[in-house]
Amino acid sequence: HLPKEGYFRDGWFAEDGKSLLLYVGGDFGPGFLFRCRIAAWKCDRMKSNIDEISVGGRGRIGTISPYRVKPNPSHYADGSIPIHPMYLAEVMDATSTRLARQVVSTRESRAKRWYKLLVSPGGTKVVLTWEVDKHGGCVPPNWGDPCIEARMFDLSRGVR
């Protein structure tokens, strides 16, 4: 069932056309992904502890979650969002089969943080982006903003 203390953050029609994918969570902190069958309106939790989510073509779902960290509501009580030492970037297909998985660190040089995963409309490519401190090789979009770096992954060649 859907959590009582959560609210709707985003939603998509599932690839099968008979279900909805709902991203639900509180005001701050990680959320949950549910698959809800429209006819019976029964919802099953697919994944927990999600900070970022992207749904693309072919029913592919990309998520970013704190790695090996159980969220504690007190971490978000003041409205701030903690940056964890590592995050897990995953891509699943419409049946929740994992297609790709990568653990990423926020402790490397140039202070990587705020990861996002974007799944393409065709579902064959995924782009992982992250913010880094300013350095000589980048121009931020706005003065005072961090720089953004990215890496693209091709899923058309199978599971990774």
Side-chain angles (χ1 to χ4, degrees), residues 43-44 95 107 148:
C43 299
D44 299 311
T95 65
R107 294 183 183 180
I148 297 175

Side-chain angles (χ1 to χ4, degrees), residues 25-51:
D27 289 333
F28 300 102
F32 306 90
L33 178 63
F34 289 89
R35 177 183 301 274
C36 299
R37 290 183 292 288
I38 296 169
W41 198 248
K42 182 174 190 290
C43 299
D44 299 311
R45 187 183 303 187
M46 294 176 65
K47 187 168 171 58
S48 301
N49 202 21
I50 300 170
D51 275 357

